[in-house]
Amino acid sequence: MSDHRILLLGPPGAGKGTQSTRLAETYDLDHITTGDALRANKEMETEYGTPGEYMDAGELVPDPVVNEIVVAALSNADDGFVLDGYPRNLDQAEYLSEQTDLDHVVFLDVPEDELVERLTGRRVDPETGDNYHVEFDVPDDPEIEERLVQREDDQEDTVRERLRVYRENTEPVVEHYREAGGLVEVSGEGTPDEVFERIRDVVEE
Ligand code: AMP
């Protein structure tokens, strides 16, 4: 078992997706992201309704649905993983602790006003899944720029609700790992390269 079982925590818009993609590529890890898995299954019927009903409102998808995604992904991740977007509440954190140990818990810290600006300006390339920003990261290729779309849940009202849900449900998870010891806080401000260097220092220390 590798010593690269990494949990990346942080509010929506902190850069977890960008940074965990880089970590997965750099260290050849499985990238386990509940957000992407749920987006690919937005219309799936479950006994709680479809994931999309919760996601478009900025609410959490019920625990049994996300736990099942995570346990299946973990069972294939023998050479290490980076977990992104899970756990988002204390029950999920408890469930995770029954499934695996973690080697690194990294918290990406970004002030709230910057999160709103990042999320409402975010645009996604539907063909590649790559993220851009209307102001800070415009694609060079006008063809890509033309096909960019906004995630349904990146509209301002939903962003505010996602941040509220984060404060209510996920901040206690951050506190839980902080109290348990071993949580390392990294500034998520600056360029993606700068942030990645900070995370790499933590993972390699
Ligand atoms: P993300 O791409 O991580 O921002 O997730 C987008 C949306 O997917 C969230 O706003 C939730 O509705 C849902 N989601 C992702 N991960 C979880 C999770 N661990 N628990 C519950 N809902 C989740």
mmCIF file of all heavy atoms in Angstrom, residues 74-125:
data_model
loop_
_atom_site.group_PDB
_atom_site.id
_atom_site.type_symbol
_atom_site.label_atom_id
_atom_site.label_comp_id
_atom_site.label_asym_id
_atom_site.label_seq_id
_atom_site.Cartn_x
_atom_site.Cartn_y
_atom_site.Cartn_z
ATOM 1 N N LEU A 74 -12.902 3.114 -3.556
ATOM 2 C CA LEU A 74 -11.782 2.759 -2.675
ATOM 3 C C LEU A 74 -11.326 1.325 -2.905
ATOM 4 O O LEU A 74 -10.137 1.016 -2.788
ATOM 5 C CB LEU A 74 -12.191 2.931 -1.206
ATOM 6 C CG LEU A 74 -12.230 4.359 -0.663
ATOM 7 C CD1 LEU A 74 -12.808 4.354 0.753
ATOM 8 C CD2 LEU A 74 -10.844 5.000 -0.669
ATOM 9 N N SER A 75 -12.268 0.461 -3.233
ATOM 10 C CA SER A 75 -11.911 -0.953 -3.381
ATOM 11 C C SER A 75 -10.990 -1.154 -4.588
ATOM 12 O O SER A 75 -10.338 -2.180 -4.706
ATOM 13 C CB SER A 75 -13.165 -1.816 -3.498
ATOM 14 O OG SER A 75 -13.775 -1.582 -4.744
ATOM 15 N N ASN A 76 -10.939 -0.162 -5.497
ATOM 16 C CA ASN A 76 -10.058 -0.275 -6.672
ATOM 17 C C ASN A 76 -8.788 0.542 -6.528
ATOM 18 O O ASN A 76 -8.019 0.640 -7.470
ATOM 19 C CB ASN A 76 -10.801 0.242 -7.921
ATOM 20 C CG ASN A 76 -11.938 -0.673 -8.301
ATOM 21 O OD1 ASN A 76 -11.784 -1.889 -8.250
ATOM 22 N ND2 ASN A 76 -13.073 -0.099 -8.649
ATOM 23 N N ALA A 77 -8.582 1.175 -5.377
ATOM 24 C CA ALA A 77 -7.499 2.156 -5.264
ATOM 25 C C ALA A 77 -6.347 1.624 -4.416
ATOM 26 O O ALA A 77 -5.929 2.261 -3.456
ATOM 27 C CB ALA A 77 -8.042 3.464 -4.680
ATOM 28 N N ASP A 78 -5.795 0.493 -4.807
ATOM 29 C CA ASP A 78 -4.748 -0.135 -3.992
ATOM 30 C C ASP A 78 -3.438 0.639 -3.996
ATOM 31 O O ASP A 78 -2.610 0.467 -3.103
ATOM 32 C CB ASP A 78 -4.489 -1.557 -4.493
ATOM 33 C CG ASP A 78 -5.660 -2.458 -4.166
ATOM 34 O OD1 ASP A 78 -6.428 -2.104 -3.253
ATOM 35 O OD2 ASP A 78 -5.821 -3.490 -4.845
ATOM 36 N N ASP A 79 -3.202 1.444 -5.030
ATOM 37 C CA ASP A 79 -1.931 2.169 -5.107
ATOM 38 C C ASP A 79 -2.045 3.606 -4.644
ATOM 39 O O ASP A 79 -1.233 4.455 -5.020
ATOM 40 C CB ASP A 79 -1.384 2.115 -6.537
ATOM 41 C CG ASP A 79 -1.022 0.687 -6.901
ATOM 42 O OD1 ASP A 79 -0.528 -0.039 -6.018
ATOM 43 O OD2 ASP A 79 -1.265 0.292 -8.056
ATOM 44 N N GLY A 80 -3.060 3.879 -3.835
ATOM 45 C CA GLY A 80 -3.213 5.228 -3.289
ATOM 46 C C GLY A 80 -4.302 5.999 -4.005
ATOM 47 O O GLY A 80 -4.733 5.634 -5.100
ATOM 48 N N PHE A 81 -4.765 7.038 -3.351
ATOM 49 C CA PHE A 81 -5.879 7.819 -3.910
ATOM 50 C C PHE A 81 -5.822 9.239 -3.383
ATOM 51 O O PHE A 81 -5.168 9.530 -2.374
ATOM 52 C CB PHE A 81 -7.225 7.188 -3.524
ATOM 53 C CG PHE A 81 -7.442 7.041 -2.045
ATOM 54 C CD1 PHE A 81 -7.868 8.119 -1.263
ATOM 55 C CD2 PHE A 81 -7.195 5.824 -1.407
ATOM 56 C CE1 PHE A 81 -8.059 7.983 0.112
ATOM 57 C CE2 PHE A 81 -7.375 5.682 -0.032
ATOM 58 C CZ PHE A 81 -7.812 6.762 0.726
ATOM 59 N N VAL A 82 -6.523 10.107 -4.109
ATOM 60 C CA VAL A 82 -6.791 11.434 -3.576
ATOM 61 C C VAL A 82 -8.304 11.607 -3.585
ATOM 62 O O VAL A 82 -8.974 11.383 -4.587
ATOM 63 C CB VAL A 82 -6.034 12.548 -4.339
ATOM 64 C CG1 VAL A 82 -6.214 12.468 -5.835
ATOM 65 C CG2 VAL A 82 -6.436 13.924 -3.819
ATOM 66 N N LEU A 83 -8.809 11.923 -2.415
ATOM 67 C CA LEU A 83 -10.254 12.018 -2.199
ATOM 68 C C LEU A 83 -10.650 13.484 -2.220
ATOM 69 O O LEU A 83 -10.064 14.308 -1.505
ATOM 70 C CB LEU A 83 -10.536 11.391 -0.840
ATOM 71 C CG LEU A 83 -11.914 10.909 -0.450
ATOM 72 C CD1 LEU A 83 -12.572 10.080 -1.527
ATOM 73 C CD2 LEU A 83 -11.798 10.084 0.828
ATOM 74 N N ASP A 84 -11.652 13.800 -3.054
ATOM 75 C CA ASP A 84 -11.999 15.202 -3.321
ATOM 76 C C ASP A 84 -13.513 15.359 -3.245
ATOM 77 O O ASP A 84 -14.240 14.731 -4.006
ATOM 78 C CB ASP A 84 -11.408 15.543 -4.705
ATOM 79 C CG ASP A 84 -12.145 16.581 -5.505
ATOM 80 O OD1 ASP A 84 -12.885 17.385 -4.929
ATOM 81 O OD2 ASP A 84 -11.956 16.595 -6.734
ATOM 82 N N GLY A 85 -13.998 16.149 -2.284
ATOM 83 C CA GLY A 85 -15.445 16.391 -2.177
ATOM 84 C C GLY A 85 -16.153 15.438 -1.226
ATOM 85 O O GLY A 85 -17.378 15.456 -1.138
ATOM 86 N N TYR A 86 -15.413 14.632 -0.529
ATOM 87 C CA TYR A 86 -15.959 13.663 0.430
ATOM 88 C C TYR A 86 -14.907 13.447 1.505
ATOM 89 O O TYR A 86 -13.724 13.305 1.146
ATOM 90 C CB TYR A 86 -16.256 12.351 -0.297
ATOM 91 C CG TYR A 86 -16.805 11.247 0.608
ATOM 92 C CD1 TYR A 86 -18.169 10.989 0.670
ATOM 93 C CD2 TYR A 86 -15.948 10.476 1.397
ATOM 94 C CE1 TYR A 86 -18.670 9.981 1.487
ATOM 95 C CE2 TYR A 86 -16.445 9.491 2.223
ATOM 96 C CZ TYR A 86 -17.800 9.240 2.265
ATOM 97 O OH TYR A 86 -18.295 8.257 3.083
ATOM 98 N N PRO A 87 -15.221 13.404 2.778
ATOM 99 C CA PRO A 87 -16.547 13.516 3.397
ATOM 100 C C PRO A 87 -16.996 14.974 3.541
ATOM 101 O O PRO A 87 -16.184 15.872 3.734
ATOM 102 C CB PRO A 87 -16.328 12.883 4.779
ATOM 103 C CG PRO A 87 -14.878 13.118 5.086
ATOM 104 C CD PRO A 87 -14.167 13.082 3.762
ATOM 105 N N ARG A 88 -18.308 15.163 3.463
ATOM 106 C CA ARG A 88 -18.875 16.506 3.554
ATOM 107 C C ARG A 88 -19.706 16.686 4.815
ATOM 108 O O ARG A 88 -20.238 17.767 5.045
ATOM 109 C CB ARG A 88 -19.759 16.753 2.342
ATOM 110 C CG ARG A 88 -19.077 17.573 1.244
ATOM 111 C CD ARG A 88 -20.068 17.706 0.122
ATOM 112 N NE ARG A 88 -19.894 18.824 -0.749
ATOM 113 C CZ ARG A 88 -19.204 18.812 -1.887
ATOM 114 N NH1 ARG A 88 -18.522 17.755 -2.239
ATOM 115 N NH2 ARG A 88 -19.190 19.877 -2.659
ATOM 116 N N ASN A 89 -19.862 15.648 5.610
ATOM 117 C CA ASN A 89 -20.491 15.816 6.931
ATOM 118 C C ASN A 89 -19.859 14.787 7.883
ATOM 119 O O ASN A 89 -19.085 13.914 7.444
ATOM 120 C CB ASN A 89 -22.023 15.692 6.858
ATOM 121 C CG ASN A 89 -22.480 14.336 6.374
ATOM 122 O OD1 ASN A 89 -21.818 13.326 6.601
ATOM 123 N ND2 ASN A 89 -23.629 14.286 5.695
ATOM 124 N N LEU A 90 -20.208 14.893 9.178
ATOM 125 C CA LEU A 90 -19.534 14.029 10.157
ATOM 126 C C LEU A 90 -19.892 12.562 9.992
ATOM 127 O O LEU A 90 -19.054 11.694 10.235
ATOM 128 C CB LEU A 90 -19.843 14.513 11.577
ATOM 129 C CG LEU A 90 -19.105 15.790 11.998
ATOM 130 C CD1 LEU A 90 -19.654 16.304 13.332
ATOM 131 C CD2 LEU A 90 -17.595 15.564 12.101
ATOM 132 N N ASP A 91 -21.116 12.272 9.550
ATOM 133 C CA ASP A 91 -21.479 10.861 9.337
ATOM 134 C C ASP A 91 -20.641 10.241 8.219
ATOM 135 O O ASP A 91 -20.212 9.086 8.305
ATOM 136 C CB ASP A 91 -22.977 10.723 9.009
ATOM 137 C CG ASP A 91 -23.850 10.943 10.241
ATOM 138 O OD1 ASP A 91 -23.327 10.795 11.367
ATOM 139 O OD2 ASP A 91 -25.035 11.271 10.076
ATOM 140 N N GLN A 92 -20.411 11.020 7.169
ATOM 141 C CA GLN A 92 -19.570 10.503 6.082
ATOM 142 C C GLN A 92 -18.129 10.313 6.575
ATOM 143 O O GLN A 92 -17.455 9.340 6.190
ATOM 144 C CB GLN A 92 -19.577 11.460 4.883
ATOM 145 C CG GLN A 92 -20.931 11.549 4.175
ATOM 146 C CD GLN A 92 -20.924 12.521 2.996
ATOM 147 O OE1 GLN A 92 -19.887 12.993 2.541
ATOM 148 N NE2 GLN A 92 -22.115 12.823 2.487
ATOM 149 N N ALA A 93 -17.659 11.219 7.432
ATOM 150 C CA ALA A 93 -16.292 11.093 7.960
ATOM 151 C C ALA A 93 -16.163 9.818 8.789
ATOM 152 O O ALA A 93 -15.165 9.092 8.719
ATOM 153 C CB ALA A 93 -15.934 12.316 8.799
ATOM 154 N N GLU A 94 -17.191 9.540 9.557
ATOM 155 C CA GLU A 94 -17.196 8.322 10.367
ATOM 156 C C GLU A 94 -17.191 7.078 9.474
ATOM 157 O O GLU A 94 -16.426 6.139 9.698
ATOM 158 C CB GLU A 94 -18.470 8.342 11.234
ATOM 159 C CG GLU A 94 -18.880 7.015 11.797
ATOM 160 C CD GLU A 94 -18.608 6.936 13.283
ATOM 161 O OE1 GLU A 94 -18.816 7.959 13.940
ATOM 162 O OE2 GLU A 94 -18.203 5.851 13.736
ATOM 163 N N TYR A 95 -18.026 7.119 8.443
ATOM 164 C CA TYR A 95 -18.083 5.991 7.506
ATOM 165 C C TYR A 95 -16.716 5.786 6.848
ATOM 166 O O TYR A 95 -16.216 4.659 6.753
ATOM 167 C CB TYR A 95 -19.165 6.258 6.447
ATOM 168 C CG TYR A 95 -19.334 5.140 5.462
ATOM 169 C CD1 TYR A 95 -20.070 4.007 5.794
ATOM 170 C CD2 TYR A 95 -18.754 5.204 4.198
ATOM 171 C CE1 TYR A 95 -20.210 2.961 4.882
ATOM 172 C CE2 TYR A 95 -18.888 4.179 3.290
ATOM 173 C CZ TYR A 95 -19.623 3.062 3.642
ATOM 174 O OH TYR A 95 -19.763 2.031 2.748
ATOM 175 N N LEU A 96 -16.095 6.889 6.433
ATOM 176 C CA LEU A 96 -14.785 6.799 5.772
ATOM 177 C C LEU A 96 -13.753 6.160 6.701
ATOM 178 O O LEU A 96 -12.960 5.320 6.271
ATOM 179 C CB LEU A 96 -14.321 8.196 5.331
ATOM 180 C CG LEU A 96 -12.942 8.252 4.678
ATOM 181 C CD1 LEU A 96 -12.925 7.465 3.366
ATOM 182 C CD2 LEU A 96 -12.523 9.700 4.431
ATOM 183 N N SER A 97 -13.803 6.538 7.995
ATOM 184 C CA SER A 97 -12.797 6.011 8.921
ATOM 185 C C SER A 97 -12.954 4.494 9.103
ATOM 186 O O SER A 97 -11.996 3.813 9.450
ATOM 187 C CB SER A 97 -12.892 6.724 10.275
ATOM 188 O OG SER A 97 -14.053 6.306 10.949
ATOM 189 N N GLU A 98 -14.155 3.985 8.816
ATOM 190 C CA GLU A 98 -14.353 2.528 8.894
ATOM 191 C C GLU A 98 -13.820 1.824 7.644
ATOM 192 O O GLU A 98 -13.648 0.605 7.631
ATOM 193 C CB GLU A 98 -15.849 2.200 9.041
ATOM 194 C CG GLU A 98 -16.414 2.631 10.385
ATOM 195 C CD GLU A 98 -17.933 2.720 10.383
ATOM 196 O OE1 GLU A 98 -18.566 2.308 9.385
ATOM 197 O OE2 GLU A 98 -18.485 3.230 11.375
ATOM 198 N N GLN A 99 -13.606 2.599 6.569
ATOM 199 C CA GLN A 99 -13.192 1.985 5.301
ATOM 200 C C GLN A 99 -11.681 2.038 5.082
ATOM 201 O O GLN A 99 -11.111 1.154 4.461
ATOM 202 C CB GLN A 99 -13.863 2.692 4.101
ATOM 203 C CG GLN A 99 -15.368 2.795 4.173
ATOM 204 C CD GLN A 99 -16.037 1.442 4.295
ATOM 205 O OE1 GLN A 99 -15.618 0.474 3.664
ATOM 206 N NE2 GLN A 99 -17.053 1.358 5.141
ATOM 207 N N THR A 100 -11.032 3.123 5.545
ATOM 208 C CA THR A 100 -9.604 3.285 5.233
ATOM 209 C C THR A 100 -8.931 4.241 6.212
ATOM 210 O O THR A 100 -9.589 5.093 6.811
ATOM 211 C CB THR A 100 -9.421 3.841 3.801
ATOM 212 O OG1 THR A 100 -8.009 3.921 3.510
ATOM 213 C CG2 THR A 100 -10.020 5.226 3.614
ATOM 214 N N ASP A 101 -7.604 4.093 6.337
ATOM 215 C CA ASP A 101 -6.790 5.109 7.006
ATOM 216 C C ASP A 101 -6.383 6.154 5.977
ATOM 217 O O ASP A 101 -6.480 5.917 4.768
ATOM 218 C CB ASP A 101 -5.527 4.463 7.595
ATOM 219 C CG ASP A 101 -5.862 3.546 8.755
ATOM 220 O OD1 ASP A 101 -6.869 3.808 9.443
ATOM 221 O OD2 ASP A 101 -5.135 2.551 8.951
ATOM 222 N N LEU A 102 -5.898 7.282 6.482
ATOM 223 C CA LEU A 102 -5.430 8.352 5.594
ATOM 224 C C LEU A 102 -3.999 8.709 5.965
ATOM 225 O O LEU A 102 -3.642 8.666 7.138
ATOM 226 C CB LEU A 102 -6.320 9.593 5.762
ATOM 227 C CG LEU A 102 -7.788 9.411 5.388
ATOM 228 C CD1 LEU A 102 -8.622 10.589 5.899
ATOM 229 C CD2 LEU A 102 -7.955 9.264 3.873
ATOM 230 N N ASP A 103 -3.181 9.055 4.963
ATOM 231 C CA ASP A 103 -1.801 9.462 5.238
ATOM 232 C C ASP A 103 -1.657 10.976 5.347
ATOM 233 O O ASP A 103 -0.809 11.463 6.082
ATOM 234 C CB ASP A 103 -0.874 8.942 4.135
ATOM 235 C CG ASP A 103 -0.942 7.433 4.036
ATOM 236 O OD1 ASP A 103 -0.672 6.755 5.046
ATOM 237 O OD2 ASP A 103 -1.315 6.926 2.960
ATOM 238 N N HIS A 104 -2.455 11.694 4.560
ATOM 239 C CA HIS A 104 -2.363 13.159 4.566
ATOM 240 C C HIS A 104 -3.765 13.750 4.501
ATOM 241 O O HIS A 104 -4.572 13.322 3.669
ATOM 242 C CB HIS A 104 -1.590 13.675 3.353
ATOM 243 C CG HIS A 104 -0.217 13.111 3.226
ATOM 244 N ND1 HIS A 104 0.836 13.555 3.997
ATOM 245 C CD2 HIS A 104 0.269 12.126 2.450
ATOM 246 C CE1 HIS A 104 1.917 12.869 3.685
ATOM 247 N NE2 HIS A 104 1.598 11.995 2.751
ATOM 248 N N VAL A 105 -4.033 14.710 5.374
ATOM 249 C CA VAL A 105 -5.282 15.468 5.304
ATOM 250 C C VAL A 105 -4.895 16.933 5.101
ATOM 251 O O VAL A 105 -4.251 17.538 5.955
ATOM 252 C CB VAL A 105 -6.121 15.311 6.584
ATOM 253 C CG1 VAL A 105 -7.437 16.080 6.448
ATOM 254 C CG2 VAL A 105 -6.400 13.832 6.872
ATOM 255 N N VAL A 106 -5.263 17.462 3.929
ATOM 256 C CA VAL A 106 -4.858 18.824 3.571
ATOM 257 C C VAL A 106 -6.114 19.685 3.452
ATOM 258 O O VAL A 106 -7.067 19.305 2.774
ATOM 259 C CB VAL A 106 -4.097 18.820 2.220
ATOM 260 C CG1 VAL A 106 -3.678 20.236 1.838
ATOM 261 C CG2 VAL A 106 -2.888 17.895 2.276
ATOM 262 N N PHE A 107 -6.078 20.823 4.120
ATOM 263 C CA PHE A 107 -7.202 21.766 4.052
ATOM 264 C C PHE A 107 -6.791 22.974 3.209
ATOM 265 O O PHE A 107 -5.827 23.661 3.536
ATOM 266 C CB PHE A 107 -7.600 22.217 5.460
ATOM 267 C CG PHE A 107 -8.621 23.320 5.472
ATOM 268 C CD1 PHE A 107 -9.885 23.115 4.951
ATOM 269 C CD2 PHE A 107 -8.312 24.566 5.995
ATOM 270 C CE1 PHE A 107 -10.839 24.136 4.951
ATOM 271 C CE2 PHE A 107 -9.253 25.597 6.003
ATOM 272 C CZ PHE A 107 -10.522 25.366 5.478
ATOM 273 N N LEU A 108 -7.525 23.209 2.131
ATOM 274 C CA LEU A 108 -7.244 24.352 1.247
ATOM 275 C C LEU A 108 -8.064 25.538 1.710
ATOM 276 O O LEU A 108 -9.298 25.519 1.638
ATOM 277 C CB LEU A 108 -7.688 24.014 -0.177
ATOM 278 C CG LEU A 108 -6.716 23.321 -1.113
ATOM 279 C CD1 LEU A 108 -7.368 23.153 -2.480
ATOM 280 C CD2 LEU A 108 -5.432 24.132 -1.241
ATOM 281 N N ASP A 109 -7.384 26.573 2.124
ATOM 282 C CA ASP A 109 -8.062 27.718 2.728
ATOM 283 C C ASP A 109 -8.157 28.892 1.741
ATOM 284 O O ASP A 109 -7.135 29.333 1.212
ATOM 285 C CB ASP A 109 -7.255 28.145 3.963
ATOM 286 C CG ASP A 109 -8.001 29.142 4.808
ATOM 287 O OD1 ASP A 109 -9.237 29.189 4.709
ATOM 288 O OD2 ASP A 109 -7.340 29.881 5.558
ATOM 289 N N VAL A 110 -9.381 29.363 1.509
ATOM 290 C CA VAL A 110 -9.618 30.520 0.619
ATOM 291 C C VAL A 110 -10.710 31.373 1.255
ATOM 292 O O VAL A 110 -11.733 30.825 1.696
ATOM 293 C CB VAL A 110 -10.063 30.056 -0.791
ATOM 294 C CG1 VAL A 110 -10.410 31.246 -1.674
ATOM 295 C CG2 VAL A 110 -8.981 29.214 -1.462
ATOM 296 N N PRO A 111 -10.524 32.708 1.327
ATOM 297 C CA PRO A 111 -11.564 33.558 1.928
ATOM 298 C C PRO A 111 -12.874 33.517 1.142
ATOM 299 O O PRO A 111 -12.861 33.357 -0.078
ATOM 300 C CB PRO A 111 -10.970 34.971 1.865
ATOM 301 C CG PRO A 111 -9.581 34.845 1.379
ATOM 302 C CD PRO A 111 -9.357 33.469 0.864
ATOM 303 N N GLU A 112 -13.988 33.700 1.888
ATOM 304 C CA GLU A 112 -15.298 33.472 1.282
ATOM 305 C C GLU A 112 -15.609 34.405 0.101
ATOM 306 O O GLU A 112 -16.205 33.974 -0.888
ATOM 307 C CB GLU A 112 -16.400 33.582 2.350
ATOM 308 C CG GLU A 112 -17.763 33.359 1.729
ATOM 309 C CD GLU A 112 -18.804 32.822 2.683
ATOM 310 O OE1 GLU A 112 -18.441 32.177 3.687
ATOM 311 O OE2 GLU A 112 -19.989 33.034 2.411
ATOM 312 N N ASP A 113 -15.197 35.684 0.177
ATOM 313 C CA ASP A 113 -15.547 36.568 -0.955
ATOM 314 C C ASP A 113 -14.844 36.125 -2.231
ATOM 315 O O ASP A 113 -15.377 36.251 -3.329
ATOM 316 C CB ASP A 113 -15.273 38.051 -0.638
ATOM 317 C CG ASP A 113 -13.891 38.283 -0.058
ATOM 318 O OD1 ASP A 113 -13.207 37.284 0.244
ATOM 319 O OD2 ASP A 113 -13.492 39.446 0.070
ATOM 320 N N GLU A 114 -13.665 35.551 -2.079
ATOM 321 C CA GLU A 114 -12.980 35.057 -3.278
ATOM 322 C C GLU A 114 -13.661 33.792 -3.822
ATOM 323 O O GLU A 114 -13.708 33.567 -5.037
ATOM 324 C CB GLU A 114 -11.507 34.773 -2.970
ATOM 325 C CG GLU A 114 -10.779 34.392 -4.244
ATOM 326 C CD GLU A 114 -9.267 34.407 -4.152
ATOM 327 O OE1 GLU A 114 -8.726 35.130 -3.290
ATOM 328 O OE2 GLU A 114 -8.648 33.699 -4.954
ATOM 329 N N LEU A 115 -14.219 32.986 -2.925
ATOM 330 C CA LEU A 115 -14.908 31.768 -3.376
ATOM 331 C C LEU A 115 -16.090 32.122 -4.272
ATOM 332 O O LEU A 115 -16.302 31.509 -5.316
ATOM 333 C CB LEU A 115 -15.417 30.958 -2.175
ATOM 334 C CG LEU A 115 -14.352 30.389 -1.247
ATOM 335 C CD1 LEU A 115 -15.001 29.787 -0.008
ATOM 336 C CD2 LEU A 115 -13.505 29.346 -1.969
ATOM 337 N N VAL A 116 -16.862 33.137 -3.861
ATOM 338 C CA VAL A 116 -18.050 33.520 -4.629
ATOM 339 C C VAL A 116 -17.624 33.989 -6.023
ATOM 340 O O VAL A 116 -18.210 33.599 -7.038
ATOM 341 C CB VAL A 116 -18.847 34.622 -3.898
ATOM 342 C CG1 VAL A 116 -19.996 35.118 -4.760
ATOM 343 C CG2 VAL A 116 -19.371 34.109 -2.559
ATOM 344 N N GLU A 117 -16.556 34.783 -6.071
ATOM 345 C CA GLU A 117 -16.065 35.291 -7.351
ATOM 346 C C GLU A 117 -15.572 34.144 -8.249
ATOM 347 O O GLU A 117 -15.858 34.105 -9.440
ATOM 348 C CB GLU A 117 -14.909 36.253 -7.055
ATOM 349 C CG GLU A 117 -14.679 37.260 -8.135
ATOM 350 C CD GLU A 117 -13.575 38.242 -7.749
ATOM 351 O OE1 GLU A 117 -13.010 38.144 -6.638
ATOM 352 O OE2 GLU A 117 -13.283 39.098 -8.579
ATOM 353 N N ARG A 118 -14.865 33.215 -7.644
ATOM 354 C CA ARG A 118 -14.346 32.079 -8.422
ATOM 355 C C ARG A 118 -15.481 31.227 -8.971
ATOM 356 O O ARG A 118 -15.469 30.813 -10.122
ATOM 357 C CB ARG A 118 -13.481 31.169 -7.532
ATOM 358 C CG ARG A 118 -12.113 31.705 -7.222
ATOM 359 C CD ARG A 118 -11.334 30.620 -6.487
ATOM 360 N NE ARG A 118 -10.051 31.061 -6.009
ATOM 361 C CZ ARG A 118 -9.136 30.233 -5.484
ATOM 362 N NH1 ARG A 118 -9.398 28.948 -5.375
ATOM 363 N NH2 ARG A 118 -7.987 30.691 -5.065
ATOM 364 N N LEU A 119 -16.470 30.940 -8.117
ATOM 365 C CA LEU A 119 -17.525 29.989 -8.519
ATOM 366 C C LEU A 119 -18.496 30.596 -9.524
ATOM 367 O O LEU A 119 -18.857 29.945 -10.501
ATOM 368 C CB LEU A 119 -18.298 29.500 -7.287
ATOM 369 C CG LEU A 119 -17.521 28.563 -6.369
ATOM 370 C CD1 LEU A 119 -18.247 28.398 -5.040
ATOM 371 C CD2 LEU A 119 -17.324 27.205 -7.014
ATOM 372 N N THR A 120 -18.912 31.852 -9.303
ATOM 373 C CA THR A 120 -19.902 32.425 -10.216
ATOM 374 C C THR A 120 -19.267 32.718 -11.578
ATOM 375 O O THR A 120 -19.960 32.763 -12.590
ATOM 376 C CB THR A 120 -20.546 33.710 -9.640
ATOM 377 O OG1 THR A 120 -19.514 34.627 -9.290
ATOM 378 C CG2 THR A 120 -21.389 33.401 -8.415
ATOM 379 N N GLY A 121 -17.942 32.901 -11.621
ATOM 380 C CA GLY A 121 -17.264 33.165 -12.898
ATOM 381 C C GLY A 121 -16.729 31.900 -13.555
ATOM 382 O O GLY A 121 -16.162 31.943 -14.641
ATOM 383 N N ARG A 122 -16.883 30.769 -12.901
ATOM 384 C CA ARG A 122 -16.344 29.524 -13.458
ATOM 385 C C ARG A 122 -17.153 29.083 -14.684
ATOM 386 O O ARG A 122 -18.376 29.178 -14.688
ATOM 387 C CB ARG A 122 -16.400 28.435 -12.381
ATOM 388 C CG ARG A 122 -15.993 27.064 -12.909
ATOM 389 C CD ARG A 122 -15.631 26.129 -11.805
ATOM 390 N NE ARG A 122 -16.774 25.746 -10.990
ATOM 391 C CZ ARG A 122 -16.674 24.914 -9.946
ATOM 392 N NH1 ARG A 122 -15.499 24.434 -9.593
ATOM 393 N NH2 ARG A 122 -17.740 24.607 -9.239
ATOM 394 N N ARG A 123 -16.470 28.595 -15.696
ATOM 395 C CA ARG A 123 -17.120 28.011 -16.872
ATOM 396 C C ARG A 123 -16.424 26.698 -17.192
ATOM 397 O O ARG A 123 -15.224 26.560 -16.967
ATOM 398 C CB ARG A 123 -17.020 28.938 -18.094
ATOM 399 C CG ARG A 123 -17.710 30.293 -17.916
ATOM 400 C CD ARG A 123 -19.238 30.181 -17.823
ATOM 401 N NE ARG A 123 -19.850 31.483 -17.687
ATOM 402 C CZ ARG A 123 -20.074 32.114 -16.528
ATOM 403 N NH1 ARG A 123 -19.710 31.539 -15.391
ATOM 404 N NH2 ARG A 123 -20.645 33.295 -16.505
ATOM 405 N N VAL A 124 -17.201 25.746 -17.701
ATOM 406 C CA VAL A 124 -16.677 24.408 -17.952
ATOM 407 C C VAL A 124 -16.732 24.104 -19.446
ATOM 408 O O VAL A 124 -17.711 24.454 -20.121
ATOM 409 C CB VAL A 124 -17.525 23.354 -17.190
ATOM 410 C CG1 VAL A 124 -16.920 21.969 -17.344
ATOM 411 C CG2 VAL A 124 -17.646 23.720 -15.716
ATOM 412 N N ASP A 125 -15.678 23.467 -19.942
ATOM 413 C CA ASP A 125 -15.683 22.974 -21.322
ATOM 414 C C ASP A 125 -16.396 21.621 -21.309
ATOM 415 O O ASP A 125 -15.880 20.657 -20.746
ATOM 416 C CB ASP A 125 -14.237 22.819 -21.808
ATOM 417 C CG ASP A 125 -14.175 22.300 -23.235
ATOM 418 O OD1 ASP A 125 -15.213 21.866 -23.772
ATOM 419 O OD2 ASP A 125 -13.069 22.338 -23.812
#
